[in-house]
Amino acid sequence: MTELVQAAVFGLGAGALYALAAQGVVLIYRGSGIINFAQGAMGMVGAYVFFELRYDGGGASQPIPTNDHGFWFALIGGVVTSALLGFLTYVLVMRPLRNASPLTRLIATLGVFTILTSAAVLEYGTDPIFIPSFYPSGQVKLGSEIVVGVEQLVVLAVVTGLTLGLWLLYRYTRFGLATTAVAESERTAAAFGWSPERIAAVNWALGAALGGLAGILIIPISFALQVSTLTNLVLAALAVALVARFTSFPVALAAGIGLGVAKSVLAHYVDQLGVADSTPFLMIILYMVFRGTALPVRGFIFDRLPALGSGRVRWTVFVPVIAGTAGLIAVLSDTWVGAITTTMIVGVILLSIVVLSGYAGQLSLGQWAVAGMGAYIAGRLVGAADVPFELAMLLGVIGTIPVGVLFALPAVRTRGVNLAIVTLGLGLTLQQVLFQNPDYTGGFTGTVVGRQSFLGIEIDSVSYPERFALFVLAAFALAGLMVARLRRGRVGRRLIAVRDNERAAASLGIGVVGVKVYAFAVASAIAALGGVLFAFRSRSVNFFYFNNFESITYVGLAVIGGIGFVIGSAFGAMLAVGALAAVFVDQVFAGALLFGRPVVDYTPLVGGLALIVVLVSDPDGMASQVSGLGHRLTSRLRRGGRRVAAEPLPEMERRRVAPRALHVEGLQVRFGAFTVVDGLSFDVGPGEIVGLIGPNGAGKTTAIDAVTGFVSASRGIVRLGEQPIAHWSAARRARAGMTRSFQSLELFEDLTVRENLRAASDGHDRLAYLTGLGWSVDPPLPAAAVAAVHDFGLEEDLDRGPRELSYGRRRLVGIARAVATEPSVLLLDEPAAGLDELETEELGLLVRRLAEDWGIGILLVDHDMRFVMTVCDRIVVLDFGQVIAQGSPDEVRTDPVVVAAYLGEGDVLDAAGTGRPPLIDQAG
């Protein structure tokens, strides 16, 4: 027991510093809503400034202190430099991106990370600088056998004091209250005279200053000053902040200390390389998975996402480009052939990011590690088991898919930046436990794979670089065609639907979990292919190259190229190290020096700067610009000529839906101690329209969420036909014949109206996940979708995007999309919201037609009493989650409980159901 406690005590100092770095992340998030992935890099800069100010001469191994007073001067200088970096990052980068999507802002911080680390490597290299401890020496005994270093106690006291100060500052001061107000609503805070931009800038400076302080204080604990050690601090800080939900300073302190203690204990008891550094992160990942939610809660804001390409292959461009590339490979020197090969290999890996992040919206920072797994499997099979290259490559791709599925598990219950942090940790775990362990990789020299051939043709990259390049070209072309086909097909619509709006996708019967797992599986297979090609460029595979922090670089390249475009993978890959742009610079500036260094050494730094410039100027990337130019040229060429004919609609054939009644009995929904819906019971029969009305906050939308499976009911019976469905997922209920519309529309903004309807009416067979990768052809729109198009008058809008439509037309598309699933029961949430009187009257006729002509049972929630009273057959009235009346419109209109609750004694609702103004205010 004593040994265990002693091992735990050794981790207190490092844990406190993890907490300190995490406090900076929390500060920046609270002040601007941005998670700063450059926090570790900003701390690293502060640490090197401290080194420059504190030490003078002596070399890297034994720096000499300047004087007795130099420590505080150097400490303040390092912290202030980090604070200035944080301030400038906000002013120059984040403020211009304040209206961009969270993905864009996050990737911008990755760009800052790349710039700072590249600059540090240029100046200081990658070797460690050993610095003597500046902490007081000595030990303190805790009992008779436990000792703790004075430096541990100093760090713990400093960080605890800072945590208390931050908690007091942000809880009780005007600045802290203003920060909280800005985090909740910038407009409201501005209305009270608080500038969101000033508050964000100050918080960025304070947060970066804490990162700088952490970077300086951790130097003696990590025994050396090194770029990689300090930048790796960001993962620990992000993991701790994740547990603290990016809001709580005390929780961040406890989580940081817990992480440090866990790593120290594991390092003491476990000899396996990398386990001590990885296991705590895996524990945090498990915590996040179990704490997260399968679907976003209501109110989840879907910001603008990067633009998507159409996936259409222009063969008149594709074939000449492939042929021209093959020709260049045949005639160019080995240097240029190697650059083309590297570009295409990186392009393959970037295609995996296009599928995962561009199409499916799952931000993973572990793709380079996944690529390394494919290389590891294939390399070890060839080098250690003498498996032929063809089979080893296939097994490498297939064998990596389970790893991709493992990465997908956190995506089931986490999303966005949380998922990015989790996948970064998983990739680092793979790197530390496997790739950096010489016992598993063939020793420090790597795995010898020798000369390779494919189908009897020798393609060894050393002896036959042109053949290997052509082989890589074929792989890149085939992978690109597959990804393009995926975008255009049924599975591509599912991926984009989940990316745009998980709740809406589930309401149409799309299995969100299955789609995410599929995206990770396909992306891992593509990345594995790229990893195999990368590994077999030489006759010996060194797995140390698969440093997972390169995943950050690759995501940046994908964004520069255009993360939603297939061709974007080629544009982004050109900027990779050793690719075409780097070789071009090396050839043009051969022998040229910049500040005493070869110009080519600045490629990573230039890449980071390019990423920031692209994000600020056009976050959709280079491919978006090229695609837009192509569309404009095509339009000019076609001007005055014959227009391309739109896809014709099949003849309309309206069918009545399968008759199933909805039965709800004793439904209760609780959020903690608060009961939102209590004992709700009603029935909706085939062809019947039932209204659910009540004041704001009565629980109407929550009732719809519970019935359709978007929130869990505490108790109650929900039955569709004779089938109990209370424990089914939202997607399964939709596939069974119950779907809904949303108060906030929640259309798939990146799909056309036609594609929205296809996403709803597509079959849900699992075979499509395989056929979608090939050359399957989309069938015509199903009969239900065609009938919905005609009934709602959407013929002229089919090839337009939702953003091109008026609000009223968007509402109709939302309802038509739900109808295209051929539901037996349809739940409409505020369908008339925002419509004028004429549009509402037309909507009423459409809703009646759905019930009478289609046989759909409809539950209608709306605040327009004239609309509800006119359309509905029966009405249920809710107040504070409980039913206070139900019956026909005439019965509800004169019900004494309703009258007493909303109008006053002796009053009645008029024939239109409008009543006096109090009813209009409270119930519509």
Side-chain angles (χ1 to χ4, degrees):
M1 185 64 182
T2 300
E3 186 179 2
L4 174 63
V5 174
Q6 184 65 70
V9 166
F10 283 147
L12 291 177
L17 292 175
Y18 295 154
L20 181 59
Q23 307 288 24
V25 175
V26 171
L27 270 181
I28 291 173
Y29 183 80
R30 289 180 62 150
S32 63
I34 299 169
I35 296 178
N36 182 22
F37 271 75
Q39 183 75 0
M42 291 177 176
M44 174 265 302
V45 172
Y48 275 106
V49 171
F50 168 83
F51 166 74
E52 291 287 353
L53 296 177
R54 173 65 171 157
Y55 300 104
D56 183 19
S61 60
Q62 293 183 346
I64 301 174
T66 54
N67 54 62
D68 292 338
H69 303 288
F71 172 78
W72 293 106
F73 176 76
L75 179 70
I76 294 172
V79 171
V80 170
T81 301
S82 293
L84 182 61
L85 270 177
F87 177 80
L88 292 176
T89 297
Y90 176 76
V91 172
L92 300 179
V93 180
M94 308 315 302
R95 186 169 64 179
L97 294 173
R98 59 186 176 274
N99 295 322
S101 70
L103 173 64
T104 300
R105 296 197 296 268
L106 182 148
I107 292 175
T109 67
L110 298 180
V112 175
F113 169 90
T114 302
I115 292 170
L116 296 180
T117 53
S118 300
V121 169
L122 285 171
E123 180 64 23
Y124 298 102
T126 58
D127 294 330
I129 300 174
F130 297 99
I131 296 178
S133 176
F134 44 71
Y135 291 114
S137 60
Q139 294 179 332
V140 175
K141 278 195 172 185
L142 302 178
S144 59
E145 299 181 350
I146 306 299
V147 295
V148 55
V150 173
E151 73 276 6
Q152 306 271 354
L153 296 177
V154 169
V155 170
L156 188 61
V158 169
V159 175
T160 302
L162 284 172
T163 300
L164 178 60
L166 289 171
W167 182 78
L168 293 172
L169 173 67
Y170 283 85
R171 187 174 181 86
Y172 294 109
T173 67
R174 180 179 175 84
F175 173 75
L177 295 175
T179 298
T180 302
V182 168
E184 294 184 2
S185 173
E186 289 190 4
R187 289 185 178 181
T188 303
F192 282 93
W194 290 322
S195 170
E197 293 185 359
R198 290 182 181 176
I199 290 172
V202 172
N203 278 286
W204 267 86
L206 289 176
L210 291 180
L213 180 59
I216 294 169
L217 295 182
I218 204 172
I219 295 172
I221 294 177
S222 61
F223 304 109
L225 177 61
Q226 189 175 17
V227 173
S228 60
T229 300
L230 292 172
T231 53
N232 284 345
L233 180 65
V234 68
L235 184 57
L238 290 171
V240 170
L242 197 63
V243 175
R245 301 193 179 192
F246 297 97
T247 55
S248 174
F249 298 117
V251 173
L253 175 63
I257 293 174
L259 178 61
V261 168
K263 290 181 66 174
S264 179
V265 170
L266 286 168
H268 182 76
Y269 285 101
V270 181
D271 293 331
Q272 179 67 41
L273 184 66
V275 171
D277 290 329
S278 305
T279 302
F281 295 111
L282 294 179
M283 294 165 60
I284 291 173
I285 288 167
L286 291 175
Y287 168 77
M288 290 302 303
V289 169
F290 285 109
R291 199 201 69 182
T293 56
L295 290 173
V297 296
R298 178 156 41 100
F300 185 84
I301 302 301
F302 291 89
D303 297 87
R304 178 185 175 276
L305 295 168
L308 290 175
S310 65
R312 294 188 179 90
V313 179
R314 294 181 172 85
W315 294 101
T316 54
V317 176
F318 177 79
V319 173
V321 167
I322 296 299
T325 304
L328 290 174
I329 290 172
V331 300
L332 290 176
S333 66
D334 288 351
T335 299
W336 284 103
V337 170
I340 294 173
T341 302
T342 299
T343 299
M344 293 185 296
I345 291 173
V346 175
V348 172
I349 299 172
L350 296 191
L351 281 173
S352 75
I353 299 175
V354 170
V355 171
L356 190 56
S357 301
Y359 293 174
Q362 306 303 302
L363 181 56
S364 171
L365 295 180
Q367 287 306 101
W368 183 236
V370 173
M373 192 65 201
Y376 178 81
I377 294 173
R380 296 301 293 167
L381 285 174
V382 171
D386 293 327
V387 174
F389 172 71
E390 301 92 327
L391 180 58
M393 182 174 66
L394 178 62
L395 292 177
V397 170
I398 296 174
T400 305
I401 292 176
V403 177
V405 172
L406 176 65
F407 273 60
L409 295 182
V412 174
R413 299 180 67 84
T414 59
R415 50 191 52 82
V417 292
N418 289 0
L419 178 61
I421 296 170
V422 169
T423 53
L424 183 63
L426 283 173
L428 186 63
T429 299
L430 199 60
Q431 169 194 334
Q432 292 176 335
V433 174
L434 186 62
F435 301 150
Q436 293 184 353
N437 192 330
D439 294 337
Y440 299 150
T441 59
F444 291 100
T445 59
T447 299
V448 177
V449 294
R451 303 163 67 99
Q452 300 305 317
S453 62
F454 185 81
L455 300 179
I457 301 174
E458 192 166 0
I459 58 169
D460 177 61
S461 61
V462 177
S463 301
Y464 304 100
E466 297 84 3
R467 294 183 187 179
F468 185 74
L470 291 173
F471 178 74
V472 172
L473 173 63
F476 184 36
L478 291 175
L481 290 174
M482 183 186 73
V483 172
R485 174 55 206 162
L486 184 67
R487 163 65 182 92
R488 299 195 310 275
R490 189 182 351 171
V491 178
R493 286 191 289 273
R494 295 179 190 174
L495 294 174
I496 296 167
V498 169
R499 162 192 134 125
D500 279 8
N501 195 314
E502 291 183 25
R503 284 165 53 85
S507 75
L508 302 177
I510 297 174
V512 173
V513 172
V515 167
K516 288 183 177 181
V517 171
Y518 174 80
F520 272 91
V522 172
S524 65
I526 298 172
L529 174 61
V532 172
L533 297 175
F534 179 87
F536 281 84
R537 293 185 309 169
S538 63
R539 295 174 182 173
S540 179
V541 182
N542 192 331
F543 299 101
F544 282 91
Y545 286 117
F546 292 98
N547 184 325
N548 189 56
F549 272 95
E550 286 297 314
S551 295
I552 296 175
T553 302
Y554 277 62
V555 169
L557 293 175
V559 171
I560 292 174
I563 202 168
F565 296 79
V566 175
I567 192 62
S569 63
F571 291 146
M574 292 179 186
L575 303 177
V577 175
L580 284 169
V583 172
F584 174 79
V585 171
D586 188 40
Q587 294 290 313
V588 172
F589 298 98
L593 300 178
L594 181 63
F595 301 114
R597 296 181 180 277
V599 173
V600 72
D601 289 352
Y602 292 86
T603 301
L605 177 63
V606 173
L609 292 170
L611 175 60
I612 298 297
V613 171
V614 169
L615 289 175
V616 172
S617 60
D618 184 3
D620 293 329
M622 298 165 61
S624 175
Q625 295 285 347
V626 173
S627 177
L629 177 62
H631 285 310
R632 288 191 293 272
L633 290 175
T634 302
S635 299
R636 289 183 180 180
L637 292 173
R638 288 175 177 168
R639 190 174 297 167
R642 186 175 61 183
R643 298 177 63 87
V644 177
E647 179 186 339
L649 279 176
E651 293 186 9
M652 187 182 71
E653 178 188 355
R654 184 183 294 110
R655 302 180 300 213
R656 292 184 68 84
V657 301
R660 297 188 186 92
L662 172 64
H663 173 72
V664 177
E665 180 182 339
L667 186 69
Q668 183 184 72
V669 180
R670 297 174 61 89
F671 297 128
F674 186 63
T675 302
V676 182
V677 178
D678 191 11
L680 175 62
S681 299
F682 63 87
D683 291 283
V684 179
E688 183 182 27
I689 303 177
V690 177
L692 183 63
I693 65 172
N696 288 328
K700 304 181 297 297
T701 298
T702 300
I704 288 183
D705 284 345
V707 170
T708 53
F710 286 90
V711 299
S712 298
S714 301
R715 66 167 182 255
I717 298 172
V718 181
R719 193 165 58 236
L720 186 62
E722 299 300 321
Q723 180 67 54
I725 62 172
H727 300 292
W728 289 8
S729 67
R732 188 177 178 187
R733 298 185 199 201
R735 291 193 292 268
M738 180 173 65
T739 191
R740 62 172 294 180
S741 70
F742 292 89
Q743 180 178 350
S744 54
L745 299 182
E746 304 198 16
L747 300 175
F748 304 132
E749 301 290 345
D750 293 306
L751 298 177
T752 64
V753 172
R754 187 191 302 272
E755 289 175 316
N756 267 269
L757 295 174
R758 279 196 178 278
S761 57
D762 282 337
H764 298 289
D765 58 294
R766 295 180 180 178
L767 185 61
Y769 286 117
L770 292 178
T771 59
L773 298 173
W775 295 105
S776 59
V777 178
D778 276 335
L781 273 176
V786 175
V789 168
H790 286 289
D791 284 355
F792 287 85
L794 300 175
E795 291 91 340
E796 299 300 320
D797 300 322
L798 286 176
D799 295 314
R800 297 174 181 167
R803 295 187 184 92
E804 302 176 56
L805 306 179
S806 67
Y807 183 80
R809 303 296 289 174
R810 287 166 60 87
R811 279 236 168 254
L812 293 181
V813 171
I815 301 172
R817 186 183 66 182
V819 171
T821 65
E822 293 189 84
S824 298
V825 177
L826 174 63
L827 295 86
L828 299 176
D829 192 2
E830 303 275 3
L835 303 184
D836 60 30
E837 186 174 347
L838 179 59
E839 290 174 324
T840 301
E841 184 178 344
E842 293 175 347
L843 177 62
L845 296 175
L846 286 172
V847 172
R848 286 300 327 173
R849 185 183 302 169
L850 293 177
E852 294 170 359
D853 296 351
W854 293 65
I856 299 175
I858 298 174
L859 179 68
L860 173 65
V861 170
D862 209 278
H863 285 283
D864 189 328
M865 289 297 101
R866 185 186 300 274
F867 174 59
V868 172
M869 292 289 180
T870 302
V871 171
C872 292
D873 301 308
R874 288 188 300 110
I875 294 175
V876 178
V877 186
L878 273 183
D879 192 19
F880 293 107
Q882 296 182 330
V883 176
I884 62 172
Q886 59 180 309
S888 67
D890 289 337
E891 291 171 338
V892 169
R893 186 181 297 120
T894 58
D895 187 283
V897 177
V898 177
V899 171
Y902 296 111
L903 296 176
E905 297 293 341
D907 289 321
V908 295
L909 295 171
D910 62 28
T914 55
R916 287 184 172 185
L919 179 65
I920 299 175
D921 294 339
Q922 299 179 60

